[in-house]
């Protein structure tokens, strides 16, 4: 069988189970695809071909002994801030260019326990700061739908890999939109789970009160399968939910008749591209036809403050988290100075990129004595207001629906010189991230020939219902597993 890389993970699982092909053959097909398209897409910082084949051979044994899971033998791309023992993990930064972790992250352990195969470490904006992968120290990734355009970010490599057939599923991370925005730009499905649903153990930190790992896949079913694999309590991350997690695949295929869908009007103001608005309106009609009750008069007035809140809190936490990169403990070290202090300074000056330095300065400023109350504390208070508004909304609605991004993928370089224009990419994904709510982006058609994402926000811990709505929509709309010509 040829072109196995075109299969979704659940289709591939069927084939593996029925012995139509082996995990090694599937992995070879994906590695071959990587070889062919990677020069144009650059989804990966590191391709782990030998390791992948070794893991695929193990998967074939597992498949033979009847201990396989739905992920056994499935080729996965792993965002390069997810720590993998013995495999270089850079977080897209020069400061970690030679960092080979001595341990595994929780999510990678879980993925391996399930028998998944890692084909490579996906490209990303440095320390997940960005919306385009242009802040990667290893060169940007390209959008598989049009390689002149960005794939989105920061998990742009993960989303591009899935859309380009260089992986069947990927792991990304979302702090303010980094799974959903690139999923939207690349025409794939991306889920940001509730904060605390997935362990952050071994995930290189950006904004610790916001960071969350989640799946990117070709369809909702694959995303549910991966969430089933990585979610749940972990003793090594005290913010994970101690309750047993539900079985997410269970929610697929259930009808959504009678569900209450709220459409917050603050998300449909100036700046939204007409093609995006049209696709979202069609999607709402589709949800209506599936029996949902749509209310377009919902108001979440604090929405407009989410961007400001995020760009105080995330940089503040980043400035603390990134203090550890000093060239002494691990990673890159610039010894051109004449004292320890000078070497530290040099390491940070030459090891971090411009965006990271900008965030460290912003965060240090916001946390400094005298400004702490005015900025950080104020931001935390507004964060509480945003939370409360969502809590109120979820008393009335099962899910909230918005666009994922105001526009479609933009040209490389278009927003690089204007950080604020870049930050505006996340205006629709930031509010739920600030609140810690789960949200998913599902393809809902095209504008100017480029994918548009439908953003569905759920209540805390309610990923099940989110997946149920997303799956019902996807099945009716028919945009699942559409791959670009490349
Ligand atoms: N684009 C946003 C930022 O630059 C969000 C990134 C993310 O979610 N990691 O911070």
């Amino acid at each position: 069988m040829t072109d196995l890389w075109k299969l979704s993970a659940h289709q591939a699982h069927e084939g593996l189970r029925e012995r139509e092909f082996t995990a090694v053959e599937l992995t070879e097909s994906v590695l071959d695809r990587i070889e062919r398209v990677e020069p144009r897409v650059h989804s990966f910082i590191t391709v782990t071909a030998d390791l992948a084949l070794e893991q695929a051979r193990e998967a074939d044994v597992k498949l033979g002994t009847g201990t396989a899971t739905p992920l056994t033998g499935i080729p996965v791309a792993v965002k390069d801030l997810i720590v993998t023992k013995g495999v270089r993990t850079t977080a897209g930064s020069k400061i970690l260019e030679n960092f080979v972790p001595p341990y595994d992250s929780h999510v990678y352990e879980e993925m391996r326990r399930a028998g998944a195969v890692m084909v490579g470490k996906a490209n990303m904006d440095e320390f997940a700061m960005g919306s385009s992968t242009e802040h990667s120290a290893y060169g940007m990734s390209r959008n598989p739908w049009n390689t002149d355009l960005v794939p989105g970010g920061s998990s742009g490599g993960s989303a591009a890999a899935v859309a380009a057939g260089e992986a069947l599923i990927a792991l990304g991370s979302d702090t303010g939109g980094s799974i959903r925005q690139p999923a939207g730009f690349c025409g794939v499905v991306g889920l940001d789970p509730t904060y605390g649903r997935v362990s952050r153990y071994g995930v290189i930190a950006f904004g610790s009160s916001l960071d969350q790992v989640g799946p990117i896949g070709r369809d909702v079913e694959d995303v549910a399968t991966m969430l089933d694999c990585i979610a749940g309590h972990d003793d090594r991350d005290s913010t994970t939910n101690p309750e047993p997690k539900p079985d997410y695949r269970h929610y697929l295929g259930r009808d959504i008749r009678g569900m209450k869908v709220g459409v917050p009007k603050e998300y449909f103001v100036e700046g939204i591209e007409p093609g995006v608005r049209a696709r979202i309106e069609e999607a709402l009609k589709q949800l209506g036809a599936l029996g949902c009750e749509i209310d377009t008069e919902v108001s979440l007035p604090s929405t407009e403050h989410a961007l400001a809140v995020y760009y105080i809190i995330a940089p503040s936490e980043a400035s603390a988290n990134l203090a550890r990169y000093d060239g002494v403990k691990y990673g890159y070290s610039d010894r051109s100075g004449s004292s320890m202090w000078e070497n530290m300074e040099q390491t940070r000056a030459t090891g971090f990129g411009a965006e990271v330095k900008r965030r460290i300065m912003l965060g240090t400023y916001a946390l400094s004595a005298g400004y702490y109350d005015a900025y950080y504390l104020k931001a935390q208070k507004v964060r509480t207001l945003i939370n409360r508004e969502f809590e109120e909304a979820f008393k009335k609605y099962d899910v909230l629906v918005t666009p994922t991004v105001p526009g479609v993928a933009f040209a490389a370089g278009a927003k690089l010189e204007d950080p604020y224009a870049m930050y505006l990419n996340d205006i629709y994904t930031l509010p739920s991230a600030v609140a810690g709510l789960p949200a998913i982006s599902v393809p809902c058609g095209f504008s100017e020939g480029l994918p548009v994402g439908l953003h569905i926000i759920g209540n805390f811990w309610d990923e099940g219902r989110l997946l149920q709505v997303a799956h019902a929509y996807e099945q009716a709309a028919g945009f699942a597993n559409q791959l670009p010509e490349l």
Side-chain angles (χ1 to χ4, degrees):
M1 217 173 139
T2 53
D3 290 352
L4 295 175
W5 56 268
K6 285 187 179 162
L7 300 174
S8 69
H10 59 91
Q11 288 166 341
H13 175 64
E14 296 266 297
L16 289 168
R17 217 185 40 204
E18 300 301 320
R19 301 295 165 88
E20 286 163 25
F21 47 83
T22 65
V24 167
E25 284 164 346
L26 175 63
T27 301
E28 277 170 348
S29 167
V30 169
L31 291 173
D32 179 60
R33 175 76 178 163
I34 292 176
E35 212 158 278
R36 275 185 293 132
V37 302
E38 186 61 2
R40 279 174 289 149
V41 184
H42 187 42
S43 300
F44 294 100
I45 291 174
T46 308
V47 175
T48 52
D50 292 340
L51 178 68
L53 288 169
E54 191 186 310
Q55 294 180 347
R57 282 191 288 271
E58 285 170 28
D60 279 326
V61 173
K62 232 177 148 99
L63 282 153
T65 57
T67 52
T69 77
L71 288 177
T72 303
I74 302 298
V76 180
V78 176
K79 188 177 183 179
D80 207 22
L81 51 53
I82 293 171
V83 160
T84 44
K85 185 174 175 178
V87 178
R88 179 172 82 131
T89 301
T90 70
S93 183
K94 181 178 173 186
I95 216 155
L96 287 173
E97 67 182 0
N98 56 7
F99 175 53
V100 178
Y103 71 109
D104 278 327
S105 51
H106 175 80
V107 289
Y108 183 66
E109 268 176 11
E110 291 301 308
M111 176 188 131
R112 285 297 300 135
R113 204 196 310 277
V117 168
M118 179 171 77
V119 288
K121 302 297 298 281
N123 196 17
M124 55 181 284
D125 289 291
E126 186 175 3
F127 287 104
M129 298 172 188
S131 306
S132 67
T133 69
E134 290 169 294
H135 295 309
S136 168
Y138 302 89
M140 67 176 290
S141 301
R142 302 270 163 182
N143 193 311
W145 291 88
N146 175 344
T147 52
D148 293 333
L149 309 180
V150 304
S154 65
S155 314
S158 299
V162 173
E166 298 178 283
L168 271 48
I169 315 192
L171 289 178
S173 74
D174 199 306
T175 306
S178 275
I179 288 175
R180 295 161 286 156
Q181 185 256 16
F185 277 9
C186 292
V188 292
V189 181
L191 171 73
D192 176 18
T194 311
Y195 180 77
R197 182 49 96 196
V198 177
S199 170
R200 286 177 292 116
Y201 177 76
V203 179
I204 294 175
F206 163 16
S208 306
S209 76
L210 297 151
D211 296 344
Q212 199 53 191
V213 173
I216 297 178
R218 304 245 179 93
D219 62 20
V220 175
E221 181 171 345
D222 284 1
V223 160
T225 302
M226 185 52 106
L227 185 64
D228 268 326
C229 169
I230 60 174
H233 180 67
D234 175 20
D235 283 336
R236 298 164 299 185
D237 176 357
S238 59
T239 62
T240 50
N241 189 334
E243 309 269 310
K245 67 152 201 76
D247 175 359
Y248 294 111
R249 286 166 59 87
H250 216 75
Y251 288 86
L252 306 178
R254 294 197 194 164
D255 87 56
I256 56 172
R257 197 155 288 286
M259 286 242 189
K260 298 197 172 49
V261 175
V263 186
K265 49 182 181 217
E266 286 79 7
Y267 287 72
F268 292 86
V269 287
E270 47 170 322
I272 176 167
E273 286 174 16
V276 171
R277 181 190 284 267
R279 292 302 87 74
I280 303 302
E281 281 166 2
E282 288 158 18
L284 287 169
K285 282 207 186 91
Q286 182 70 260
L287 288 170
L290 289 165
C292 294
E293 288 169 33
I294 317 279
D295 182 353
T296 52
E297 284 305 305
V298 186
S299 177
L300 300 170
S302 298
T303 300
E304 58 166 325
H305 303 303
L307 184 85
V309 166
Y310 175 84
Y311 278 100
I312 298 287
I313 294 175
S316 295
E317 293 178 0
S319 71
N321 278 326
L322 271 57
R324 72 190 70 166
Y325 306 105
D326 53 14
V328 177
K329 301 184 204 73
Y330 48 78
Y332 162 85
S333 184
D334 184 333
R335 305 259 166 86
S336 62
S338 54
S339 67
M340 182 195 74
W341 295 112
E342 265 182 43
N343 286 341
M344 266 188 199
E345 223 175 284
Q346 269 308 108
T347 297
R348 292 169 69 81
T350 57
F352 286 137
E355 184 60 26
V356 172
K357 288 182 197 163
R358 187 152 42 231
R359 306 276 178 119
I360 292 173
M361 284 191 281
L362 261 172
T364 310
Y365 182 80
L367 291 178
S368 58
Y371 292 109
Y372 180 88
D373 289 356
Y375 293 108
Y376 187 73
L377 209 61
K378 186 65 134 282
Q380 290 291 18
K381 287 180 180 166
V382 181
R383 186 181 198 176
T384 304
L385 290 179
I386 294 171
N387 275 26
R388 282 199 199 133
E389 279 178 18
F390 275 120
E391 274 166 22
E392 280 307 307
F394 283 114
K395 286 183 186 156
K396 279 169 77 182
Y397 306 103
D398 293 294
V399 292
L400 299 171
V401 168
T402 80
T404 304
V405 196
V408 289
F410 52 86
K415 304 191 186 214
L416 205 50
E417 299 308 319
D418 183 354
Y420 188 63
M422 189 74 93
Y423 297 172
L424 284 176
N425 259 281
D426 303 310
I427 52 170
Y428 296 153
T429 49
L430 286 174
S432 60
V434 164
L437 292 162
I440 193 168
S441 178
V442 200
C444 66
F446 296 84
S447 169
E448 300 160 39
L450 295 168
V452 176
L454 179 73
H455 189 224
I456 314 174
I457 307 171
N459 203 353
F460 294 103
W461 314 114
D462 207 7
E463 287 86 354
R465 193 168 343 202
L466 203 55
L467 290 160
Q468 181 183 352
V469 175
H471 188 251
Y473 167 75
E474 173 192 81
Q475 296 302 305
F479 297 116
N481 204 5
Q482 287 201 347
L483 298 180
E485 291 291 329
L486 193 66

